[in-house]
Amino acid sequence: MTSPTIDLTMLADPALRADPYPLLRQMREASPLPLIDGLLVVTGRHRDCSAVLRHPHASSERYRSALTAPNLEISTLSFLSLDPPDHTRLRRLVSSAFTPRVVTALRPRITEIVDSLFRRVAEQGRMDVIDDLAYPLPVQIISELLGVPAEDHERLRAWSAQLARGLDPQFTDPDPERVAVAEGARTEFNRYFSTLIAQRRTHPREDLLSLLVHAESEGDKLNEEELLATCVLLLVAGHETTTNLIANAVLALLRHPDQLDALRARPDLVDGCTEETLRYDPPVQMTTRAARGTLPVGEVEVPDGGIAVLLIAAANRDPDVFDEPDRFDITRKPGGHLAFAAGIHFCLGAGLARLESAVALDAFAQRIVAPRLLEPVEYKANINLRGPARLDVTFDAIRSL
């Protein structure tokens, strides 16, 4: 059943950035929503989203669509926007850097970085959770994995923000300026990584970039374009979403002090806190799939070449799956959310994001004394990769390790 009072463009309203969930609830209840003569179908129901993410006719190669698909993902040959066998080949080359064993071994380094970040602000009595914790932690980890020098982090930050903004859906006519800025950022990224790639060809190191370059040199069909797109994907996706995850979790804890108290009393709940944040306020709000053949979305079908828009943030609060879905509860039984997608495109970096979040949230809960949120919270303009732009917190002290 559709509703004439609801359309996708409503999600672009800046006034809803701080709390899109009432509108997402309406969209979920009206799902599936066929638009553009049925070529575009929107759903926020959990069972629909879960089924589409796993369906063999759901393609990530959106450029093959009959529509100009909403630009919701990092495209241009990154494996997020490819189907097998290309997706399988590229993902396999990267996956060795994100195995459970490799990720677990990063815990001491993650803990060390969090401690150094806390020491920087300990005497100030206040911090911006974004600039002082949620951003520098994941960007330093993914940069070290890739082999990006620390002195380049700030330069890459601006390009990453511009590219992330360009990943928002184009609900109406594309904004030429936003498209141009995003393409400019991609060009700068490509120029930057081209230089690093050339260096690694002659002087390989113990990093992921050298591994990828070496794989290419052995004839594993990783061409220059694919190599550049993979580097940009890993750097941007490797920190933008985790920054939002950590920030959204801290914000939820501060707005639900009973949950912060529970985490302090039971540090073993930290993984549950991460999972509940992924469900309650996911860092990625939506995704798309192109139909390659007829693609069922609940009671309707997307014809071949059409697009399914999956409102992940709405699905994660579906009352058919989650009891009291609008309640933030870190003791909730984990599982079921779609924040990391599902199927063959399940997030490769999920384990690393979870670990970074757990270490950061445990440290925040146990070491920050009497944290106080300074309202209002300023949000980024992003619709899809949604999170605070600033998150100012005052505190009495930071306990030492």
Side-chain angles (χ1 to χ4, degrees):
M1 179 180 297
T2 61
S3 169
T5 63
I6 297 175
D7 68 75
L8 202 57
T9 64
M10 297 169 72
L11 286 171
D13 185 352
L16 296 178
R17 201 68 72 247
D19 186 12
Y21 292 100
L23 175 61
L24 288 170
R25 180 177 63 249
Q26 295 177 51
M27 289 185 164
R28 181 181 62 245
E29 292 171 351
S31 295
L33 289 163
L35 305 172
I36 317 179
D37 297 325
L39 283 174
L40 184 71
V41 177
V42 182
T43 186
R45 297 194 301 189
H46 188 282
R47 65 178 179 271
D48 295 348
C49 293
S50 180
V52 169
L53 288 169
R54 295 172 168 87
H55 199 282
H57 291 178
S59 171
S60 292
E61 296 183 348
R62 299 155 191 84
Y63 61 90
R64 297 178 183 269
S65 166
L67 298 172
T68 301
N71 185 19
L72 295 175
E73 326 234 1
I74 299 171
S75 57
T76 315
L77 298 177
S78 81
F79 55 81
L80 274 188
S81 297
L82 294 172
D83 295 333
D86 290 327
H87 167 265
T88 308
R89 173 174 55 85
L90 292 176
R91 184 177 174 115
R92 184 182 64 246
L93 289 172
V94 178
S95 62
S96 62
F98 297 94
T99 63
R101 180 184 61 81
V102 171
V103 169
T104 299
L106 289 171
R107 181 181 285 273
R109 178 58 179 151
I110 295 170
T111 302
E112 179 184 24
I113 293 171
V114 170
D115 181 53
S116 69
L117 294 171
F118 276 10
R119 281 189 275 107
R120 292 179 192 175
V121 299
E123 302 302 319
Q124 298 176 11
R126 65 181 295 155
M127 66 187 299
D128 172 9
V129 172
I130 308 300
D131 280 352
D132 297 325
L133 177 63
Y135 171 77
L137 170 61
V139 80
Q140 188 160 345
I141 290 296
I142 194 62
S143 293
E144 289 177 0
L145 282 174
L146 268 173
V148 172
E151 59 268 22
D152 292 337
H153 291 180
E154 282 306 308
R155 178 160 53 136
L156 300 180
R157 181 177 188 176
W159 300 338
S160 180
Q162 292 163 355
L163 193 56
R165 181 72 179 98
L167 302 180
D168 276 346
Q170 303 282 332
F171 291 127
T172 55
D173 292 335
D175 179 350
E177 181 178 355
R178 193 172 77 181
V179 172
V181 169
E183 286 305 312
R186 187 183 300 279
T187 298
E188 294 295 339
F189 265 127
N190 286 346
R191 183 179 295 118
Y192 176 83
F193 276 113
S194 292
T195 300
L196 283 189
I197 289 166
Q199 293 173 356
R200 294 303 190 274
R201 283 201 173 102
T202 55
H203 299 92
R205 300 180 184 178
E206 295 295 321
D207 55 38
L208 180 55
L209 181 56
S210 296
L211 183 151
L212 294 173
V213 170
H214 180 66
E216 183 206 13
S217 68
E218 289 185 341
D220 203 16
K221 299 180 182 178
L222 189 67
N223 61 40
E224 184 81 4
E225 271 192 313
E226 292 172 331
L227 188 55
L228 289 171
T230 300
C231 289
V232 175
L233 168 66
L234 290 173
L235 184 71
V236 176
H239 79 271
E240 285 284 350
T241 53
T242 307
T243 294
N244 290 345
L245 171 58
I246 294 171
N248 291 347
V250 170
L251 178 59
L253 288 170
L254 292 174
R255 286 180 169 167
H256 300 84
D258 61 319
Q259 299 301 296
L260 180 55
D261 289 343
L263 183 55
R264 286 192 181 118
R266 288 187 52 193
D268 62 297
L269 289 174
V270 70
D271 290 336
C273 182
T274 293
E275 295 306 304
E276 179 66 346
T277 302
L278 287 164
R279 183 201 69 82
Y280 178 79
D281 197 10
V284 179
Q285 297 272 292
M286 61 190 79
T287 189
T288 60
R289 291 294 185 268
R292 182 170 290 178
T294 301
L295 177 63
V297 181
E299 299 82 27
V300 304
E301 292 182 336
V302 183
D304 183 39
I307 290 285
V309 178
L310 312 179
L311 302 177
I312 300 300
N316 282 352
R317 294 198 185 194
D318 191 333
D320 289 344
V321 179
F322 306 100
D323 293 333
E324 298 183 79
D326 294 324
R327 180 167 61 91
F328 181 70
D329 179 7
I330 67 173
T331 67
R332 187 187 299 272
K333 183 179 179 180
H337 69 72
L338 300 172
F340 289 130
I344 64 171
H345 283 280
F346 183 83
C347 178
L348 181 66
L352 179 57
R354 283 171 163 143
L355 178 60
E356 290 171 335
S357 173
V359 172
L361 295 178
D362 179 65
F364 186 88
Q366 305 304 326
R367 298 181 60 187
I368 306 291
V369 179
R372 298 172 295 277
L373 176 65
L374 298 181
E375 299 273 15
V377 175
E378 177 186 343
Y379 272 80
K380 292 180 284 191
N382 300 19
I383 298 169
N384 191 28
L385 302 187
R386 176 182 161 275
R390 290 187 60 87
L391 193 59
D392 291 313
V393 174
T394 61
F395 51 82
D396 290 349
I398 297 183
R399 296 187 181 94
S400 300
L401 282 174

